[in-house]
Amino acid sequence: MNNWLIYLIEVSVCQTLFGLLYWTVFRHLSFFQANRIYLLTVTIISFIIPLISIPFWNAPGSDASISVFHRLGHIELPIVPDKNMSIHATTFNVNWLMTILSLVYLIGFSYRFWKLFSGIIAVIKLTRNHAFSEEDGIKIIFIDRGPSFFSFLNYIFINRSHLAISEEEFTQVIEHEKAHVTQRHTLDNLLMELSILICWFNPVLRLMKKELNNVHEYYADAKANAFKGNTESYSKLILKLASNKGSSFLTHQFSMNTIKKRIIMLNKTKYKKRIALRYILVGPCLMLLMVAFSFVPKSSSTQKNIEAKGIPCVIGNIFWEGNSHYSDDYLSGYLGLKTGDPLNEEVINEKLSYQPEGRDLGSLFMDQGYLYFTIEMNKEIIGNKVDITFNIFEGKVSEIDKILITGNKKVSTEKILKMVDIAKGDLFSRSKLMSSQKKIIESGLFDSDKFTPNIIPHPNDGTVDIEFNVVEL
């Protein structure tokens, strides 16, 4: 799964948890500005939390893990699985899955982008095709069709054909729309739409935008009602203009589908300030998400901080796990590791990876028949000392069963077998396999670019077949 998809999933989880907190605790509170700030802030924070890495606990890091399985040389030698062997190589299927998911995401993204872009263009056309009057920096435009009243940025749009209201009612509606303009509610909508554009697959985000629009309306209603102070007449005005429909999803229109909720909020007794203490619940929710997506082991980050201060890291304790063929001291000496020596990860990694001269740890084990050998290095930082743990999986010793020569027509199989340093009954040896490969290439009889030795393991009986697939010149 690609990093971008994991990131978007984590963002969606954050949005969902914050959304659940709002619906269960804050939704019915009459602290409109606090709810507005909450919805906008958690929307932004949800995109930030998965990007943060906070070193928090001391644990062996896995960032220095190295696997040397199948690293048989400077050429990656393909391993052909046995029919009875469990196959875990699903890369092809995973790639196809990621391609399909990426395509679906791009289709949804493109649709949301087109919808957002066309909505903005539609409102811009209204501002350019109609004259306006300006009052206190607010531009009022009269239009011939569309909703009765709505606002966008610092514009208020009024439908001439829907003016069957009294002058007092008209003033209240204008005050309502002015509240949207002065509070810059359009910018809130644009922010939410951009968030929905990125996480279009998350329905929670669209519900959060709807709740934010409700909060906008509650606040604007409170401001408009305060202007005249007649709650009953203003409630009737909301019902009177309840059929108002057709504006862009980016605009704020006077009447919405949440008529009942608006009237309830308008007549609701204001909560006491101590009820606002409920907002401290945001802290535990934020901490939970930080622990889930932001807190990481101290390992590599701590080491970088120490090195940045000019303090050299040294090797602390050296632990070996899973080794039975060689002793801990022998393996540490083989890699040249000693407690108190300066830590040089690059040198250690080189000694764990393939080396042509066969001085790497993989060669040491694979030359003794341990075909399935793997190793993983983990670190734990304690001050400027780094404890290193090597976890080894030796697996079973593999014995060579068959040596197969394929692809040859002119050169006899017997001649090629004379170049091979391994025989039936021998323990698998990576160095002998590499020397055989080298001899066959240096014979000048075959195309070195198309020469592909294949390893065919049979884990059930502990044997392995070696196939030399040659292409003659």
Side-chain angles (χ1 to χ4, degrees):
M1 194 175 291
N2 285 4
N3 290 337
W4 67 268
L5 183 55
I6 295 174
Y7 168 72
L8 292 180
I9 291 174
E10 291 179 352
V11 169
S12 297
V13 172
C14 293
Q15 293 166 349
T16 301
L17 188 57
F18 282 129
L20 289 174
L21 180 62
Y22 178 82
W23 285 307
T24 55
V25 181
F26 309 136
R27 185 184 186 189
H28 300 294
L29 300 183
S30 56
F31 302 109
F32 305 136
Q33 288 293 69
N35 281 351
R36 175 195 180 192
I37 293 171
Y38 172 84
L39 289 168
L40 292 173
T41 302
V42 298
T43 299
I44 296 172
I45 288 178
S46 294
F47 286 97
I48 297 175
I49 290 175
L51 296 176
I52 299 175
S53 295
I54 303 176
F56 189 71
W57 65 80
N58 287 316
S62 59
D63 56 301
S65 300
I66 294 181
S67 172
V68 296
F69 184 37
H70 299 174
R71 268 183 213 162
L72 300 182
H74 63 286
I75 300 176
E76 292 290 337
L77 303 184
I79 290 187
V80 180
D82 181 73
K83 292 180 181 180
N84 299 320
M85 186 178 179
S86 176
I87 302 174
H88 301 287
T90 57
T91 304
F92 181 78
N93 292 334
V94 170
N95 288 339
W96 265 107
L97 176 61
M98 288 308 307
T99 301
I100 293 172
L101 289 176
S102 299
L103 182 61
V104 171
Y105 177 81
L106 288 176
I107 291 173
F109 181 90
S110 300
Y111 171 74
R112 292 298 308 187
F113 179 81
W114 171 82
K115 188 176 180 181
L116 175 61
F117 181 77
S118 60
I120 294 174
I121 294 300
V123 179
I124 291 176
K125 285 182 179 179
L126 287 177
T127 63
R128 291 184 176 180
N129 297 336
H130 296 82
F132 62 85
S133 59
E134 189 167 349
E135 180 182 339
D136 297 329
I138 299 175
K139 299 175 181 179
I140 300 176
I141 296 178
F142 286 89
I143 57 177
D144 299 319
R145 60 180 181 177
S148 303
F149 302 89
F150 64 94
S151 60
F152 179 81
L153 292 176
N154 63 330
Y155 289 91
I156 295 177
F157 298 86
I158 303 171
N159 190 333
R160 291 189 182 92
S161 61
H162 290 183
L163 292 179
I165 57 177
S166 67
E167 184 176 344
E168 180 182 350
E169 290 173 332
F170 180 82
T171 303
Q172 284 181 307
V173 174
I174 292 299
E175 287 300 319
H176 175 100
E177 297 300 333
K178 281 184 177 180
H180 287 311
V181 173
T182 56
Q183 288 294 310
R184 296 180 174 84
H185 287 167
T186 302
L187 298 181
D188 295 2
N189 271 351
L190 288 172
L191 173 64
M192 295 300 291
E193 282 299 324
L194 288 175
S195 302
I196 293 173
L197 176 65
I198 298 172
C199 292
W200 60 264
F201 53 86
N202 185 12
V204 172
L205 200 53
R206 289 191 287 275
L207 292 175
M208 289 174 67
K209 179 179 181 288
K210 183 178 179 181
E211 290 297 329
L212 180 62
N213 283 336
N214 289 342
V215 170
H216 289 167
E217 295 304 320
Y218 302 152
Y219 177 84
D221 285 341
K223 285 293 183 182
N225 182 57
F227 180 73
K228 288 294 182 180
N230 192 334
T231 301
E232 183 179 354
S233 64
Y234 189 78
S235 299
K236 291 179 180 179
L237 177 60
I238 293 176
L239 289 172
K240 188 175 182 179
L241 296 176
S243 61
N244 183 25
K245 296 179 181 179
S247 68
S248 168
F249 60 92
L250 291 171
T251 62
H252 286 90
Q253 53 189 31
F254 180 81
S255 293
M256 303 171 62
N257 295 328
T258 54
I259 303 301
K260 182 179 178 181
K261 292 181 181 178
R262 288 176 61 185
I263 294 176
I264 291 174
M265 281 295 184
L266 189 63
N267 292 275
K268 196 168 192 177
T269 303
K270 302 302 180 185
Y271 286 103
K272 295 180 180 179
K273 290 185 178 180
R274 60 184 176 83
I275 300 297
L277 292 175
R278 294 183 184 182
Y279 289 99
I280 64 175
L281 293 175
V282 176
C285 182
L286 178 62
M287 182 59 65
L288 176 63
L289 293 172
M290 294 284 283
V291 170
F293 302 125
S294 298
F295 287 3
V296 296
K298 289 183 177 180
S299 57
S300 60
S301 298
T302 304
Q303 182 180 341
K304 290 177 182 177
N305 291 336
I306 292 172
E307 292 173 348
K309 294 178 181 178
I311 305 174
C313 289
V314 298
I315 298 175
N317 297 314
I318 304 171
F319 303 102
W320 293 89
E321 302 289 344
N323 53 304
S324 61
H325 193 79
Y326 296 103
S327 68
D328 294 359
D329 291 339
Y330 180 84
L331 293 176
S332 297
Y334 190 85
L335 293 181
L337 300 179
K338 195 163 51 173
T339 298
D341 285 352
L343 176 66
N344 190 326
E345 286 189 61
E346 186 176 344
V347 172
I348 295 176
N349 292 341
E350 288 178 357
K351 291 179 179 179
L352 295 179
S353 303
Y354 171 76
Q355 295 181 13
E357 65 274 13
R359 281 293 299 170
D360 60 282
L361 204 64
S363 293
L364 180 67
F365 279 85
M366 288 188 175
D367 285 350
Q368 299 300 317
Y370 292 102
L371 172 63
Y372 304 102
F373 168 82
T374 61
I375 184 170
E376 184 179 77
M377 182 181 78
N378 297 315
K379 301 177 299 176
E380 183 176 4
I381 313 297
I382 303 175
N384 71 322
K385 292 185 178 181
V386 181
D387 289 348
I388 304 175
T389 300
F390 295 98
N391 293 306
I392 287 178
F393 174 75
E394 294 177 334
K396 294 181 178 180
V397 172
S398 295
E399 184 179 291
I400 294 176
D401 183 17
K402 300 175 184 176
I403 299 176
L404 308 172
I405 308 296
T406 58
N408 57 312
K409 296 181 180 178
K410 295 182 290 185
V411 183
S412 67
T413 298
E414 290 75 15
K415 185 174 182 179
I416 298 174
L417 286 174
K418 290 180 180 179
M419 307 176 196
V420 176
D421 294 331
I422 50 180
K424 179 180 176 64
D426 290 348
L427 293 180
F428 176 83
S429 171
R430 185 170 71 175
S431 61
K432 289 183 179 180
L433 178 61
M434 296 308 301
S435 65
S436 302
Q437 178 186 4
K438 183 178 180 181
K439 287 181 180 180
I440 292 174
I441 290 174
E442 290 179 346
S443 69
L445 300 173
F446 309 100
D447 187 340
S448 59
D449 294 332
K450 297 180 181 180
F451 176 54
T452 55
N454 297 323
I455 301 171
I456 309 172
H458 305 291
N460 291 336
D461 59 9
T463 62
V464 57
D465 296 340
I466 306 296
E467 177 190 24
F468 293 96
N469 191 322
V470 297
V471 175
E472 296 171 325
L473 296 174

